[in-house]
Amino acid sequence: GLLQVVKQCVRVPVFVMIRPRGGDFLYSDREVEVMKADIRLAKLHGADGLVFGALTEDGRIDTELCTALLAVCRPLPVTFHRAFDMVHDPLVALETLISLGFERVLTSGCDSSALEGLSLIKRLAEQVLSSPWCLTSGLFPPGGGITERNLQRILEGSTASEFHCSARSARDSGMKFRNPNVAMGASFSAPEYSIKVADVAKVRTLNAIAKNIL
């Protein structure tokens, strides 16, 4: 439903993330069934591309599963998401993803934010350019903790032509009656009456910074 409404409202390409649950990126057979079903439905309802990631228990790219999911995704372009930041050896993992045919790899440089992982992001971007396989689109967007305060430094330091961020803020709920005794989720979840929304002002500011650099 979200995808259908978004496609009616925007004109930019919409990539859908395929992730059946939170937590790690080691998936069961049942979860793989869900992922394949989600990919088919996303394609049916107008997705312009797909985003997923899968690892083995020892922190390597799950090549068998990725190959199977890529086959379901085609002919749409596919991005490997920040599961990449949890791999054992990022340089080896990148070569694997390039050979598998992923068009993009999203990463924070295997650190808590793209700014802190900037040196590795730059090294990985250089590896992409020198690889005999080379990514189809040559895109290596940094993501993780990107804000209007650090975007310029990240883009200039990584030589990236795209980036990923939430650009969101908290909006107070419109509810007038509020039950303080009930929380719909875990004790560490977001406050019940605070809603995370895309912040148009932040998006415009980030776009302006990127356009000035790129």
Side-chain angles (χ1 to χ4, degrees):
L2 174 63
L3 175 59
Q4 288 181 290
V5 172
V6 167
K7 288 291 293 183
Q8 293 170 6
C9 297
V10 304
R11 295 293 176 266
V12 296
V14 178
F15 280 48
V16 177
M17 185 163 73
I18 305 300
R19 191 175 178 191
R21 56 162 171 78
D24 63 35
F25 306 99
L26 181 65
Y27 296 114
S28 69
D29 291 343
R30 288 296 189 190
E31 288 167 339
V32 171
E33 289 181 28
V34 173
M35 295 171 81
K36 290 180 177 179
D38 283 342
I39 291 169
R40 295 186 185 101
L41 287 170
K43 291 172 67 176
L44 180 64
H45 293 291
D48 297 291
L50 287 307
V51 183
F52 69 81
L55 305 178
T56 61
E57 61 182 12
D58 57 353
R60 291 173 170 76
I61 304 298
D62 190 333
T63 56
E64 183 178 351
L65 176 53
C66 285
T67 299
L69 293 178
L70 281 166
V72 183
C73 290
R74 296 308 186 201
L76 298 182
V78 186
T79 297
F80 193 92
H81 61 41
R82 286 190 61 201
F84 181 84
D85 291 325
M86 310 303 281
V87 298
H88 176 72
D89 187 329
L91 300 180
V92 172
L94 179 58
E95 287 297 324
T96 300
L97 295 176
I98 292 173
S99 66
L100 287 173
F102 283 89
E103 280 79 9
R104 290 176 176 83
V105 180
L106 176 63
T107 181
S108 64
C110 300
D111 215 320
S112 57
S113 74
L115 186 60
E116 291 170 297
L118 192 54
S119 60
L120 179 59
I121 292 174
K122 184 177 181 180
R123 184 179 177 188
L124 292 166
E126 292 170 350
Q127 181 176 333
V128 167
L129 293 175
S130 63
S131 171
W133 297 91
C134 199
L135 288 172
T136 303
S137 303
L139 297 174
F140 202 75
I146 291 180
T147 69
E148 56 269 35
R149 294 182 297 277
N150 60 29
L151 177 60
Q152 179 173 347
R153 182 177 170 187
I154 290 171
L155 289 181
E156 290 177 345
S158 65
T159 67
S161 58
E162 293 185 356
F163 64 96
H164 169 78
C165 66
S166 61
R168 64 188 176 191
S169 60
R171 184 185 71 198
D172 192 46
S173 166
M175 289 292 297
K176 290 184 169 56
F177 171 76
R178 303 187 179 192
N179 184 349
N181 300 316
V182 179
M184 297 294 178
S187 58
F188 295 107
S189 62
E192 201 62 40
Y193 298 103
S194 179
I195 304 168
K196 294 291 187 181
V197 296
D199 190 316
V200 174
K202 287 184 179 181
V203 172
R204 285 176 175 158
T205 300
L206 289 161
N207 271 336
I209 294 170
K211 287 178 181 177
N212 184 55
I213 297 170
L214 304 175

